[in-house]
């Protein structure tokens, strides 16, 4: 157990930010009903804290945080989350508070660390535990023994114990050490400068990823354009072919020119009048036609 606690400070080793604060109350009912109490308020007895508080040591610190620096933020620090951003390094019972020293991996989670520093006055904690022995009355469930499983950092009004706090807010309870209840500007500047270095590196990584995505999109766009052009050319060729086939199928056949039959008595070698008359007499012409043709031959008409 630690004999004393300091305000939110930076650790130079391994890019850590160390937070000291109250993670739950001792001997005091929660302000809201935690999960698993069937609507009743939870109370950690002084005896259970003495026996079991150390089970929180080494357990994770989690939070809810939107994915990405420019995300919506409506779920920011509103519940227990699946993003583990640090761990509980030590705990200590102090008055009616279970205080904890919590490490946040600020270099790995610079966005979350930045928000914690700037929202410290409004933030608190909600512990996670498994009850192994309890007793209860009409309103409360008393934790006689438990196994700590971690804690979440979240807005105070979202926690079952809404009077938990980061110790910078608790400083006003100890006027000998501080005359206000917030970090001074120098402390805040040092923390933010350290965090911003990690943010710059993370943003650089975002920019590189965006560049890769743009290049990939441009390549895909080029491939699509070429594919579309080729498809258009194919469609044009198919349309021209179909057009020609259609024209051929609906073309009106042109009538063939009929050459007049030759007169059997014209052309050829010159025949004598007698030969021509003999041929006329031997033909199938009617008698009137025969007389007409013979008359033409005899009189040269």
């Amino acid at each position: 157990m630690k004999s004393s606690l300091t305000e939110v400070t930076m650790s130079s080793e391994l890019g850590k930010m160390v937070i000291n604060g109250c993670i739950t109350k001792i001997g005091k009912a929660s302000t809201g009903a935690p999960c698993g109490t069937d609507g009743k308020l939870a109370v950690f007895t002084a005896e259970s804290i003495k026996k079991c508080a150390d089970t929180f040591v080494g357990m994770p610190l989690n939070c809810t945080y939107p994915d990405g620096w420019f995300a919506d933020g409506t779920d920011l620090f509103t519940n227990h989350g699946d993003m583990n951003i640090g761990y509980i390094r030590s705990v200590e019972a102090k008055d009616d508070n279970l205080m904890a020293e919590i490490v946040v991996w600020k270099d790995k989670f610079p966005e979350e660390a930045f928000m914690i520093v700037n929202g410290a006055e409004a933030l608190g904690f909600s512990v996670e535990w498994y009850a192994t022995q309890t007793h209860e009355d009409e309103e409360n469930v008393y934790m006689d023994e438990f196994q700590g499983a971690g804690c979440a950092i979240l807005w105070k009004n979202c926690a079952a114990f809404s009077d938990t706090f980061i110790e910078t807010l608790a400083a006003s309870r100890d006027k000998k050490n501080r005359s206000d209840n917030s970090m001074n500007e120098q402390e805040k500047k040092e923390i933010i400068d350290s965090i911003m270095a990690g943010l710059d590196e993370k943003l650089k990584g975002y920019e590189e990823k965006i560049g890769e995505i743009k290049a990939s999109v441009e390549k895909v766009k080029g491939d699509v354009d070429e594919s579309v052009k080729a498809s258009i050319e194919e469609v044009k060729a198919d349309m021209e072919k179909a057009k020609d086939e259609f024209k051929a199928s609906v073309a009106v056949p042109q009538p063939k020119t009929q050459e007049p039959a030759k007169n059997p008595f014209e052309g050829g070698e010159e025949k004598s009048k007698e030969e021509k008359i003999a041929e006329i007499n031997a033909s199938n012409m009617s008698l009137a036609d025969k007389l007409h043709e013979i008359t033409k031959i005899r009189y040269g008409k």
Side-chain angles (χ1 to χ4, degrees), residues 161-195:
F161 288 88
S162 61
D163 44 0
T164 57
F165 52 86
I166 291 176
E167 195 176 15
T168 46
L169 300 176
S172 61
R173 296 170 173 80
D174 187 358
K175 297 296 183 180
K176 293 182 296 182
N177 294 333
R178 201 174 188 95
S179 60
D180 58 33
N181 60 355
S182 62
M183 288 180 291
N184 63 42
E185 290 304 314
Q186 181 60 31
E187 289 172 328
K188 189 171 182 179
K189 182 179 184 304
E190 288 175 1
I191 294 173
I192 291 178
D193 286 347
S194 177
I195 292 171

Side-chain angles (χ1 to χ4, degrees), residues 96-110:
D96 63 347
N97 302 318
L98 178 61
M99 304 297 292
E101 183 179 77
I102 302 170
V103 172
V104 175
W105 298 306
K106 69 175 181 61
D107 287 355
K108 186 175 181 181
F109 300 100

Side-chain angles (χ1 to χ4, degrees), residues 213-255:
I213 292 170
K214 283 183 177 179
S216 176
V217 169
E218 288 299 324
K219 183 179 183 304
V220 171
K221 182 176 179 294
D223 293 343
V224 170
D225 287 345
E226 290 300 319
S227 176
V228 169
K229 287 179 182 178
S231 298
I232 290 173
E233 292 303 320
E234 289 181 15
V235 170
K236 282 183 178 179
D238 290 343
M239 288 181 67
E240 289 298 325
K241 182 179 178 183
K243 190 189 296 183
D244 292 341
E245 290 175 352
F246 178 75
K247 285 181 178 178
S249 67
V250 300
V252 179
Q254 298 296 323

Side-chain angles (χ1 to χ4, degrees), residues 33 44 55 106 115 184 203 223 256 259:
F44 286 94
T55 61
K106 69 175 181 61
M115 291 301 298
N184 63 42
L203 289 173
D223 293 343
K256 294 182 179 180
E259 295 185 7

Side-chain angles (χ1 to χ4, degrees), residues 25-29 42-46 48-49 95-97 142 161:
K25 306 297 288 186
I26 303 171
K28 183 179 179 181
V43 180
F44 286 94
T45 65
S48 70
I49 291 295
D95 299 327
D96 63 347
N97 302 318
Y142 298 89
F161 288 88

